[in-house]
Amino acid sequence: MPSEKPYLIRSVRLPAAVEKRIETDFTALPPPDAPLDTAAMLALAEQQKAFAMLVTHHCPLKGADVAAIPDCVKLVATVSVGLDHLDVPALLARGIKVCNTPDVLTDCNADLTMMLILAACRRAAEYYTLMKDGWGRTLEMDEMLGIRVTGKTLGIVGMGRIGQALARRARGFEMKVLYHNRRKLDPAQEEGATYFENLEEMLPHCNILSLHMPATAGAPPLMTARMFGLMPRGSVLVNAARGALVDETALLDALRSGHLFNAGLDVYQNEPNPNPSLLALPKIFMTPHTGSATVETRTAMGMLCLDNVAALAAGKPLVTPVTA
C-alpha cells in the first residue's frame, strides 16, 4: 500500500473483518447505518474526494448518474458478481475502472440452490408453517406428500461456475443432469451432464429446472407460459439467478393449475417487494435474494473488492477487472 491510504466510500456496511481492514488500510468514514442510494453516494464521493466507490445493487450507476461521478473516482468496485446495476461501457468510457467479485460466490450459491430444490420438492414451507402453528394432529398417509429428489432429472440453464457446482452436488443425489448453455462445454467442465443446444428440447425431460444465467436489461422473460407448458406435469422450477428470467404471472398460473408441483425462489421481478400472489401460495419455498449470504462468502467478496482498490492505488492491475 502507498504511504497515503486511498479514500474509499461504501454504500453498505460490510462484514466485520472487511470493516476492520478498511479501518486499518484505507481512509474512510464509518460504515453507513443503512444502505446508501445513488444520490447519497454521489454526494459523498464529491464531498470526500473518493478514490473508489464500493457499491451493491442498492446504488445503481447508469445514465446520468455515471456522468455525475466526480473525476476523483478512479474505480467502481461492486460487491457482487452481477453487473445489472452498472452501465459498464459508460463507466469505462469515462476512464473509471470497474471490478466485481467472481468465483468466491460459487459454492454458497450452489448450496442455496440445492436447498431450494430440496425444500421445494419436500414442501418445506408448508411443513415449517404447520410446526410453527403447533402441529397438533397426526398427518394422514397421503397428506402433504412431497416428491423425491434422489434419481430425478435436473435441467440446468446456464452452465457457468454455479451451474457446474450445482451439477456436482446433484450427483450426490444420483440425479441425471442435463444442461443448456450458449455453447457446449469441454467434457472436463460438463460434470457428467448432457448438453442440449435447444432449451425447448431439454424442458420435456426436466423433473426439476434450475436457472443460472444472467438477465439482459429489457429482454423478455426466458420462462413464459409456453416454456412452462413444455415441462412435465408435476415438475419444479428453481430460480436463484435473476427475477427477470421468469414471467411471474405464467409461473403463478402453472403452480395454481398443478402443472408445476412447486417452486423454489431466491429472486423476484420486484425486489424487495415480491408479488403478493407468490407470497400467498403456501407451497412455494422463498428466500430473500440470499445466495451469497454467509459469513465466509460475504467476507471474501468484500476482501476481493479491497484487493482491487489496493492494487489500483499501488499502480498495479486490478485483480478482477470488468472490461466490457
Side-chain angles (χ1 to χ4, degrees), residues 116 209-212 237-246 264-268:
L116 293 174
L209 185 74
S210 189
L211 307 182
H212 296 282
L237 174 78
V238 167
N239 187 12
R242 287 290 181 267
L245 295 173
V246 175
L265 305 176
D266 186 51
V267 291
Y268 312 89

Side-chain angles (χ1 to χ4, degrees), residues 23-37:
E23 182 181 336
T24 301
D25 294 347
F26 300 87
T27 303
L29 294 174
D33 293 329
L36 301 180
D37 63 15

Side-chain angles (χ1 to χ4, degrees), residues 168-232:
R168 289 194 293 274
R169 285 154 176 76
R171 287 207 307 265
F173 287 85
E174 301 173 8
M175 300 180 81
K176 178 180 180 181
V177 182
L178 317 176
Y179 78 98
H180 168 71
N181 205 43
R182 286 178 296 180
R183 61 176 180 83
K184 188 180 189 302
L185 301 181
D186 294 332
Q189 297 177 296
E190 288 187 311
E191 301 295 341
T194 301
Y195 176 63
F196 278 77
E197 183 178 3
N198 188 309
L199 176 59
E200 295 180 13
E201 293 178 2
M202 184 179 84
L203 291 179
H205 303 282
C206 300
N207 305 122
I208 302 163
L209 185 74
S210 189
L211 307 182
H212 296 282
M213 59 180 287
T216 302
L222 174 73
M223 296 306 298
T224 61
R226 188 174 70 84
M227 300 297 269
F228 285 128
L230 295 173
M231 296 175 65

Side-chain angles (χ1 to χ4, degrees), residues 66 114-115 188 214 220 257 307:
V66 175
M114 201 68 225
M115 180 182 82
S257 70
D307 289 346

